[in-house]
């Protein structure tokens, strides 16, 4: 059974206007990411990423979201236009252990080798934060 995800109010200042618009409409219609994903033909995670401003919505996505959520099409087009602004929803440096370790990998190791294949063997050692 899917649960109705709502927007954490502590994130409001870090999210685009589209997040508030879409979360309010989603809650009013009692929709889940799962039901929206089925209608869009996308994965739940991709839909959640759109809602949080972390992924780009296609013209077709905007059309369907407008109808499903009952939000003015032109408003969604305006709010979802452009490129996603990723990474603003978490504190820097991250406090959650796994995310912190991934952040540390990028910060400390990626620039040392332009070849991702050289970097891959380090991942299991660096991410091993659980006993």
């Amino acid at each position: 059974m899917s649960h109705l995800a709502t927007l954490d109010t502590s994130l409001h200042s870090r999210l685009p206007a589209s997040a508030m618009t879409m979360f309010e409409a989603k809650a009013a219609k009692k929709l889940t990411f799962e039901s929206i994903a089925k209608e869009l033909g996308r994965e739940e995670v991709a839909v959640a990423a759109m809602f949080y401003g972390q992924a780009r919505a296609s013209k077709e996505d905007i059309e369907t979201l407008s109808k499903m959520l009952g939000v003015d099409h032109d408003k969604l087009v305006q709010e979802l236009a452009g490129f996603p602004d990723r990474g603003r929803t978490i504190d820097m440096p991250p406090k959650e252990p796994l995310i912190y370790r991934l952040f540390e990998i990028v910060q400390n190791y990626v620039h040392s080798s332009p070849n991702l294949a050289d970097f891959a063997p380090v991942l299991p050692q660096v991410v091993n934060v659980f006993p």
Side-chain angles (χ1 to χ4, degrees):
M1 177 178 176
S2 296
H3 296 285
L4 189 63
T6 57
L7 183 58
D8 178 352
T9 57
S10 69
L11 297 177
H12 282 194
S13 65
R14 299 182 193 179
L15 295 174
S18 62
M20 275 61 85
T21 299
M22 293 195 300
F23 269 103
E24 286 172 6
K26 178 180 167 292
K29 299 267 185 177
K30 294 184 173 34
L31 296 170
T32 63
F33 284 135
E34 180 182 21
S35 63
I36 296 169
K38 284 180 183 174
E39 194 69 28
L40 292 177
R42 288 181 170 257
E43 296 292 326
E44 265 184 86
V45 172
V47 172
M50 278 190 266
F51 271 67
Y52 283 100
Q54 304 295 303
R56 197 169 189 179
S58 69
K59 290 178 184 179
E60 295 80 14
D61 293 332
I62 294 171
E63 184 71 35
T64 303
L65 285 169
S66 173
K67 290 176 184 172
M68 281 189 83
L69 300 172
V71 175
D72 179 66
H73 180 266
D74 292 336
K75 180 177 182 169
L76 275 185
V77 168
Q78 181 181 1
E79 289 184 355
L80 294 173
F83 293 97
D85 187 9
R86 297 182 177 120
R88 290 179 13 153
T89 60
I90 62 172
D91 294 326
M92 286 303 208
K95 297 189 179 30
E96 196 280 321
L98 180 61
I99 295 174
Y100 177 81
R101 297 302 281 184
L102 293 171
F103 172 75
E104 183 180 48
I105 291 167
V106 171
Q107 185 178 18
N108 296 325
Y109 298 105
V110 170
H111 299 293
S112 64
S113 177
N115 184 354
L116 189 57
D118 293 341
F119 171 65
V122 175
L123 283 173
Q125 298 161 353
V126 177
V127 178
N128 188 13
V129 295
F130 304 106

